[in-house]
Amino acid sequence: MFSNSTNFQFSNGNFYNVSGDVNLAVQQRFSVRAPDSGANIGMVDGAAAGHPQRLINGSSSSNQEPVSDPAGDDDLPGFTDTPPSATPHPHAFRDGIYITTPNVNNVFHTSDIGVQILHRHATLDALYNSAESFPQPRCHPETRTELLERLWGQIMKPNIRVIWLHGSAGAGKSAIMQTLCEGLQAADQLGGSFFFKRGHSSRGSGRPLFLTLAYQLALFDPVLKPLILETVRRDPSLAATSIASQLKELIVQPCLSAAGCQPRILLVDGLDECDGSDIQQEILRSICKIFSQHALPVKIIIASRPEPDIRAVFEDPSFHGLQKTNVEQSFLDVEIFLRREFSRIHREHGESMALVPSPWPSGDVIRALVQKSSGYFIYAATVIKFIDDKQFLPTEQLEIIFNADTQPDSLPFQNLDQLYIQILSQVPVRYCPRLLQILSVIS
C-alpha cells in the first residue's frame, strides 16, 4: 500500500515519513548499496505480496516486471557498486529498497518513530544546557561545596529515591541544580533535566515534563532506549494522556523491564514556577505514589520554594524514600563570590581600572555588601551584574550601589525589585491586610 509522497506505508512492512519527491526501485537480488548522489536509503521489514514492486513518483504497480541488474551495471539510477551477492534474496522488501533520486529531504527508519514522537512533544528549551536559558546560572568555584558534597552523598544512598531541595527566592537553587546537572553529565549519570520558568510559553507548563524526561532517558541510556521508544511507537497517544500515565508508561515500566540499567538522576528545577498549583500537586503525587512503591534505577531531585501546596505533599507520611535538603543562607559563600567577581572585574576592565589599586574594593566594602545580601546570592549576583556593565566605570557603578537609597532615579536593583514584586503578588488575598500593616511599619 502506498499513500502519498509525504507519508507512505508498505503492506506488511513498516511506516516511513518522507518529504520531497520520491523514486523508489525495489531490487529482488540486491542488498542495499551506497548511492552515488547523496540520496537517502530506506529499508522495510517484510515482503509485499511475495514479490517486488517498482514504485515511481508516488505510484505503485505490482504487475510490472521486477527490476534486476545481475551484471551490476549502472542502469539502476543512483547506484554504482556491484551487488554483494548474485543470489536472490527471499524477502526483496527486507534488503532491497533503493531511493534513486537526490530530491529526498528526510527518510526515517521505523526504529526512529518513537524518537520523532517524543522529540515533537518534548520541551527542549527546558533542558539544563539549552540555548534559550544561556548563560545558565551555576555555582561559583569554591562556593556551596559543602552542600554539593552532601547532595552527592544523598544521591549515592540506595534508600533515598527522591530529594527535595528547597529554599527561599534568591537562595541559589537553580545554580546548584545547574552545577549538579553538569557534574552528573560528566559522570554519565544524568537521566534528564527540566528547568521550569514562570510564565514561559513552554517552560511554564507541567504537561510536557515526563515526555521531556523520557526523551532524554531514551537518548542517554542505551538499555532504556529501545524500551521507551517501543512504548511510544506502539501507543503514540501517550503524548496526550495524564501526567501519571506518562510517568508510569514512559519511565517506570521501562525501568522495571530493563536489565543492567545503570542509575540515572532526573532533575526538576523550579517546580513552584510551574503554572497552576493543581498541576504541581499532580506531578508530586504521581512521583510520591510510584517512587514509594518501587525501587528504580532512577532517582529524582526536585528544587522549589517551600510553597504550602508543595510542602503539603512532601510532608505526607506515605511519601517513602524522601530526603529534604534546605538551601540555607551562606554569608561565607557570598563573600567568596563577591571577592572572586570583583577581582575578575578589576582584571577585565583593564584600561578603566588601571589606576585603581588591587585588591578592589576594600574589605570593609565587601563585608558591607555581604551583610546587605543577608547571605543570599540573588543580591550579590545583582550587584555584580550592575557593576560589570562595560559601558560604565566599575568604581562609579559601585558608588551608585551604596548611594541607591539617596538616588531614587537610579535602578541598580531593578531585577531584584522585579523578583520581590513577583513574590508579593502571590500572597493570598486573606493575608493582604496583615501584609500592608507590616509594609507600612517597614516604610
Side-chain angles (χ1 to χ4, degrees), residues 251-268:
I251 296 179
V252 176
Q253 290 299 337
C255 285
L256 292 175
S257 303
C261 179
Q262 74 173 78
R264 294 283 174 181
I265 312 300
L266 304 175
L267 297 97
V268 179

Side-chain angles (χ1 to χ4, degrees), residues 66-146:
V67 181
S68 63
D69 188 12
D73 296 319
D74 292 336
D75 56 355
L76 200 62
F79 295 88
T80 57
D81 296 343
T82 57
S85 171
T87 304
H89 197 284
H91 300 294
F93 280 84
R94 180 178 297 278
D95 288 330
I97 290 184
Y98 308 132
I99 298 179
T100 61
T101 173
N103 191 21
V104 177
N105 297 325
N106 292 295
V107 178
F108 300 118
H109 192 272
T110 51
S111 63
D112 295 331
I113 290 176
V115 173
Q116 298 303 318
I117 294 173
L118 285 176
H119 180 87
R120 186 163 61 248
H121 293 282
T123 301
L124 303 185
D125 287 345
L127 273 58
Y128 86 95
N129 55 355
S130 72
E132 198 273 344
S133 58
F134 184 85
Q136 293 89 355
R138 55 176 53 85
C139 293
H140 198 276
E142 301 180 41
T143 65
R144 295 300 192 189
T145 54
E146 182 180 345

